[in-house]
Amino acid sequence: MTTTYLRQAKAADLPAIMQIIAEAKAYLKQQKIDQWQSGYPGKNDIAADVAAGLNYVMLRDGELVGTASLHQGRDEDYQVIQGRWRGAVAQTYTSIHRMGVAAGYRGQHLSESLITNLLTLSVQLGYTDVRVDTHPENKVMQHVLAQCGFDYRGIVHYASMPQQPLYAYQLQLND
């Protein structure tokens, strides 16, 4: 039997997390998608998430196979959207960032599993609104988000890279 679960990342997980991020960057480059090709996310980004208790890792039979950060509250980069979020402007939510699955585990639907675990965690933390974004050419992630029930809501731009439009998605959960 295969055992797969999510836990909060530890500082000791950082090398394995960075390996997954590097593999994700290489996969995106191979797909000719310029997402994550300019150094982001870097070790400092991930280390800050781990230190703040925002990064989670997925383990399968004891091996670290996935990672994502789950931010809580409001994401500054999501305040302005070309489109419309559902719900009150002032509401808080979780947002999923810096997600990746180890190269050797692609095609096993672990991205969906990682997201559904983050949805469960969001509800446990008291949030019923979850948001995420991805590159317009990242069709794989767009498919994963659709499979998990997310709806396309519009385009956002990060302050750190205002020239890059990102597709924004939202899922509202019933508590």
Side-chain angles (χ1 to χ4, degrees):
M1 184 171 148
T2 302
T3 303
T4 305
Y5 63 95
L6 195 69
R7 69 161 167 77
Q8 202 166 39
K10 305 172 189 172
D13 297 325
L14 198 53
I17 294 169
M18 292 312 300
Q19 178 62 38
I20 290 171
I21 295 296
E23 291 170 359
K25 287 179 179 185
Y27 180 70
L28 290 166
K29 184 175 185 175
Q30 176 187 355
Q31 302 294 313
K32 299 190 182 347
I33 300 170
D34 68 359
Q35 184 177 11
W36 288 8
Q37 299 304 303
S38 62
Y40 172 87
K43 187 175 183 178
N44 290 342
D45 300 308
I46 303 298
D49 285 353
V50 171
L54 303 175
N55 186 269
Y56 292 85
V57 292
M58 175 173 275
L59 289 101
R60 177 170 257 192
D61 292 335
E63 184 178 350
L64 200 152
V65 299
T67 182
S69 293
L70 186 68
H71 293 250
Q72 301 172 44
R74 286 193 201 103
D75 190 319
E76 288 303 314
D77 291 312
Y78 288 177
Q79 296 305 305
V80 175
I81 183 170
Q82 293 170 321
R84 187 166 180 216
W85 297 114
R86 283 194 194 108
V89 173
Q91 75 186 36
T92 58
Y93 49 87
T94 57
S95 52
I96 301 169
H97 293 289
R98 299 181 270 287
M99 185 177 130
V101 172
Y105 289 85
R106 283 197 194 106
Q108 297 182 32
H109 303 283
L110 290 181
S111 293
E112 290 94 337
S113 181
L114 181 55
I115 289 173
T116 57
N117 276 279
L118 292 169
L119 296 177
T120 299
L121 182 58
S122 294
V123 170
Q124 289 174 337
L125 292 169
Y127 297 91
T128 56
D129 186 351
V130 184
R131 302 177 186 188
V132 62
D133 65 78
T134 193
H135 192 283
E137 295 174 13
N138 193 340
K139 303 298 184 199
V140 171
M141 185 62 171
Q142 292 171 36
H143 174 76
V144 167
L145 293 171
Q147 290 295 110
C148 291
F150 283 82
D151 292 321
Y152 173 78
R153 303 304 305 158
I155 295 173
V156 294
H157 295 268
Y158 284 19
S160 61
M161 45 185 192
Q163 74 288 355
Q164 176 61 64
L166 297 166
Y167 285 1
Y169 292 82
Q170 181 180 28
L171 177 61
Q172 291 184 309
L173 304 164
N174 296 326
D175 189 14

